[in-house]
Amino acid sequence: MNISLPLLLGLSAAAIGTTPPGLLNMTAAKVSMRDGRNRALWFAFGASIIVFFQTLLAVLFARFIDRRADISVILQEIGLVIFTVLTIYFFWIAKKPKPKKKKEEVKMRTKSSRFFLGMLLSSLNVFPVPYYVFISITLGSYGYFQFDTFFIYTFSFATAIAAFLVFFGYISFFKSKERKDTFLSKNINYVIGSITGVVALITLFKILSR
């Protein structure tokens, strides 16, 4: 079977869905600025693994979820709660970065902790599931997507690769701007909180407009 089509579709879909600034992107940038590029890459790797399973889950249940409108509503309600909690956390609980204490930070923030943080935040981000459900069903209606095992796993693998590359881009960009963008580095929690707040408001609007 031709492997290029599911790879291309997966890379394109993930690039479109992941490139706009979001919780995972900005958190990867934050980890890069505070803990270094290596730990940020571990964060990105952990998040990308979850992206693979989220895509796989979305595609496997695409037709079922598409026929059940109540499932989509439940996903939106769960997302609303999660992003509301995250907004509160980043605005009122998370503290601003303190002056650098490299030795202490290395001890407290290990590579494994960044890896599992990436997995955790990516797991809380439920929006990729309905996104890839929509993508797979839409592509399938035009005959570009096939719901067989090889196609599904290749597509899911491609989305994980694309997500990691996007995270890497954010990590590299913000790391190179670390010394210049002092305002951003000092207020990164508020940036993330603003993003999650906007997503929560959009989700609430969608739920109320039904």
Side-chain angles (χ1 to χ4, degrees), residues 42-43 46 111-123:
W42 277 99
F43 171 89
K111 293 180 180 179
S112 60
S113 68
R114 301 297 93 179
F115 174 78
F116 289 113
L117 176 63
M119 296 185 70
L120 175 62
L121 291 185
S122 188
S123 299

Side-chain angles (χ1 to χ4, degrees), residues 39 99-109:
R39 286 170 177 76
K100 291 185 177 180
K101 296 181 180 180
K102 293 185 178 180
K103 293 183 179 180
E104 292 183 3
E105 289 189 353
V106 169
K107 292 180 181 179
M108 295 178 62
R109 299 184 178 93

Side-chain angles (χ1 to χ4, degrees), residues 194-205:
S194 299
I195 294 170
T196 56
V198 170
V199 174
L201 289 175
I202 293 174
T203 305
L204 178 61
F205 176 77

Side-chain angles (χ1 to χ4, degrees), residues 38-106:
N38 289 337
R39 286 170 177 76
L41 290 176
W42 277 99
F43 171 89
F45 182 53
S48 300
I49 290 177
I50 299 300
V51 170
F52 169 81
F53 288 106
Q54 287 177 327
T55 306
L56 184 63
L57 176 65
V59 176
L60 288 176
F61 292 98
R63 293 179 179 176
F64 172 75
I65 296 177
D66 182 59
R67 297 191 186 107
R68 295 284 303 275
D70 56 319
I71 299 295
S72 298
V73 174
I74 292 174
L75 288 175
Q76 289 182 354
E77 292 175 349
I78 293 174
L80 173 62
V81 173
I82 290 174
F83 280 99
T84 300
V85 172
L86 288 174
T87 300
I88 294 173
Y89 171 78
F90 283 111
F91 268 107
W92 288 284
I93 300 178
K95 298 180 180 179
K96 292 184 178 180
K98 296 180 179 180
K100 291 185 177 180
K101 296 181 180 180
K102 293 185 178 180
K103 293 183 179 180
E104 292 183 3
E105 289 189 353
V106 169

Side-chain angles (χ1 to χ4, degrees), residues 2-10 143-146 151 154-155:
N2 187 6
I3 193 175
S4 60
L5 180 59
L7 281 176
L8 179 61
L9 293 177
Y144 293 110
F145 198 97
Q146 302 175 23
F151 199 103
T154 305
F155 177 83

Side-chain angles (χ1 to χ4, degrees), residues 5-18 54-63 65-66 72 127-147 151-152 155-156 158-159:
L5 180 59
L7 281 176
L8 179 61
L9 293 177
L11 291 171
S12 302
I16 294 172
T18 312
Q54 287 177 327
T55 306
L56 184 63
L57 176 65
V59 176
L60 288 176
F61 292 98
R63 293 179 179 176
I65 296 177
D66 182 59
S72 298
F127 285 93
V129 177
Y131 171 72
Y132 287 114
V133 167
F134 171 78
I135 290 295
S136 59
I137 292 177
T138 302
L139 292 174
S141 65
Y142 289 100
Y144 293 110
F145 198 97
Q146 302 175 23
F147 288 92
F151 199 103
I152 290 173
F155 177 83
S156 301
T159 60

